[in-house]
Amino acid sequence: MSTTVEQPVLKWPESLYHKFERKPGDQLATHYCPGCGHGVLHKLIAEAMDDLGIRERTIFVSPVGCSVFGYYYFNCGNVQAAHGRAPAVATGIKRARPDSIVISYQGDGDLAAIGTENILHAANRGEPITVFFVNNATYGMTGGQMAPTTLPGQKTTTSPRGRDSELTGQPLKVSELLSVLTAPVYIERVALTDAKHILAARKAVRKALQTQIDRKGFSLVEVLSPCPVQWKMEPQEAKEWTTENMFGMFPPGVYKDLTKEAEAHIRPEPSLNVEKVKEIFGALPSYERRGAPDWGHTPEKYQEPQMKIAGFGGQGVLFFGALLANIGLRRDFHVTWLPAYGPESRGGTANCNVVVSTEQVASPLVTDPSVLVAFNGPSLEKFEPVVRPGGLILYNSTLIDQQVTRDDVEVLPVPASGIAEELGDGKVANLVMLGAYLQWTGLFREEHVDAALEAVIKRKDMLELDRQAVARGFAFAREFKAGQ
Ligand SMILES: Cc1ncc(C[n+]2csc(CCOP(=O)(O)OP(=O)(O)O)c2C)c(N)n1
Ligand code: SF4
């Protein structure tokens, strides 16, 4: 009698990468903390994708939160959405590609705080997507702050004396809330606490995906998931805490199940009516295109600039980029302007990316700029190493003491803040710099800047000063070149 085991009991799902090559550092382990529920849920979802044969057509929408890097792990289509917006992104994908299986994977901060309206309306519209909602009663990624699902009395970094429900309300019960809506087809709450509950979670994950495969409508599985690190517990203790404390507030169970009676529903295929689109866009104010854009006398090395413009928030970095893009647009070029906002805009470094091209621009993101315009020292330090060999660096020599260390790039030091102060307002240093850049490269002339300024500057009393600043920039670069 043969005792050979034909199938290995444990096998790695194909729907998870075997090696996480997108991940920096250790590519054989996930970035999750020991005892975290995210990894367990990833495995349950991946196994279900394998067994249901849907890997090739699954699109996984990762949220913001500890699972922001879902795309490191899932071997399928991946999209990362802004905080709370995964249901909207999933809606768009599903409508554009009705045959795909779309998963929205979200934490409680993501789904039940910043994205409350997103999930509510996606569920109410009955979007035929599947949502996996990881409820760990805290904001894991950002340091364990209070979430809408935090339990009364639970201590978090923002409720150090315990959540006070008098002031902050009761925990939001998402499964209960959504199950009273008409459209959702299947809603269940499960837990990753012990073998019995993990098996129930496995079943629920499969059922939710099957609901989508059968085109029956919206499905959601809420997963009570330990977060040992932010709860400041050992993994085993965190599991017990989930059972002892979360089950009372969030009882596991099926909250809605219409999978038997719901009919398969096939939405009409989306159609793209090109004529209609042209009609709509034709009606919008557009720049009159005079024909193909022309580089004029601009030397080849300055053509097709891919620019990084960086400085302190408040130095007019973003405006520099937007104005340049505006001039390019008026000269019939294809342009993109991509600002990088963030806490930087309140004191650190801020930057924007600008591309001016005769061709349509594939990506507005500039990672290896041909031109760097640095308004302060930290920006020069940060971006100097990534400028392309043969590229151009302009820097504000009034504020930047250090030298450019690269010897394979062209360098133009512009005392932009000094000239602006001479004109009576340090804020126009950005326009001095723009003038210097345009004169140096021959990209656009002073009158081109003038026309754009007139169109975009709201404060007409500033126009004269702005023009003077641009003119001083042009003059500086002319003199610098003559003096070389
Ligand atoms: C628009 C926006 N607001 C705030 C943040 C900061 N932020 C990042 S993750 C997070 C909370 C995530 O918590 P949760 O969704 O519960 O996921 P977990 O980390 O617990 O898995 C917050 C507030 C952000 N990235 N974007
Ligand atoms: S902080 Fe919490 S949710 Fe985030 S990876 Fe660690 S255990 Fe998981």
Side-chain angles (χ1 to χ4, degrees), residues 31-38 65-67 134 136 138-141 225-231:
H31 70 290
Y32 298 118
C33 311
C36 174
H38 278 302
C66 282
S67 45
V134 179
N136 59 15
T138 193
Y139 285 16
M141 183 195 209
S225 174
C227 173
V229 164
Q230 301 302 2
W231 295 352

Side-chain angles (χ1 to χ4, degrees), residues 65-78:
C66 282
S67 45
V68 63
F69 299 127
Y71 53 84
Y72 283 174
Y73 310 121
F74 283 95
N75 184 8
C76 60
N78 283 280

Side-chain angles (χ1 to χ4, degrees), residues 280-446:
I280 294 165
F281 282 99
L284 293 174
S286 65
Y287 295 99
E288 194 189 326
R289 292 191 85 84
R290 285 171 294 268
D294 180 7
W295 293 111
H297 297 298
T298 306
E300 204 178 325
K301 63 176 173 175
Y302 300 131
Q303 294 176 13
E304 301 286 336
Q306 299 229 342
M307 308 182 60
K308 182 74 83 180
I309 302 134
F312 285 129
Q315 280 186 312
V317 161
L318 303 186
F319 183 69
F320 178 117
L323 185 63
L324 181 60
N326 194 295
I327 304 167
L329 202 59
R330 288 165 183 279
R331 306 299 306 155
D332 296 328
F333 286 90
H334 294 276
V335 296
T336 55
W337 171 72
L338 182 71
Y341 296 103
E344 290 100 334
S345 53
R346 291 185 292 276
T349 56
N351 73 77
C352 68
N353 307 268
V354 172
V355 179
V356 180
S357 178
T358 49
E359 306 285 328
Q360 282 193 0
V361 182
S363 166
L365 193 67
V366 177
T367 47
D368 56 337
S370 62
V371 182
L372 167 65
V373 182
F375 281 92
N376 64 3
S379 304
L380 183 60
E381 229 164 81
K382 183 167 176 192
F383 295 114
E384 183 189 329
V386 295
V387 176
R388 281 180 216 170
L392 169 65
I393 297 181
L394 291 96
Y395 70 92
N396 183 359
S397 57
T398 318
L399 299 184
I400 302 177
D401 288 335
Q402 77 249 44
Q403 297 291 316
V404 174
T405 54
R406 296 267 302 268
D407 57 9
D408 59 346
V409 293
E410 192 180 6
V411 181
L412 179 61
V414 184
S417 293
I419 295 176
E421 294 293 347
E422 275 170 35
L423 289 171
D425 190 344
K427 283 206 213 85
V428 291
N430 57 346
L431 295 177
V432 176
M433 189 68 101
L434 180 67
Y437 166 66
L438 294 181
Q439 166 66 33
W440 191 259
T441 57
L443 203 56
F444 302 122
R445 294 199 300 273
E446 235 175 292

Side-chain angles (χ1 to χ4, degrees), residues 192-271:
L192 301 175
T193 44
D194 51 62
K196 181 179 138 209
H197 283 97
I198 292 175
L199 274 176
R202 181 177 184 271
K203 243 174 92 189
V205 163
R206 283 156 195 255
K207 186 161 178 170
L209 288 170
Q210 190 65 50
T211 304
Q212 186 175 172
I213 295 168
D214 296 342
R215 296 177 178 269
K216 295 210 163 166
F218 180 88
S219 54
L220 178 141
V221 180
E222 175 174 348
V223 183
L224 304 181
S225 174
C227 173
V229 164
Q230 301 302 2
W231 295 352
K232 313 216 175 338
M233 294 175 195
E234 292 298 321
Q236 186 53 33
E237 198 188 349
K239 285 184 184 171
E240 285 158 14
W241 189 88
T242 309
T243 314
E244 284 160 19
N245 296 283
M246 289 184 78
F247 278 24
M249 180 61 70
F250 303 114
V254 177
Y255 284 82
K256 186 160 191 192
D257 186 358
L258 300 177
T259 50
K260 284 215 173 69
E261 48 271 56
E263 305 259 318
H265 177 71
I266 298 176
R267 281 209 164 109
E269 284 284 318
S271 63

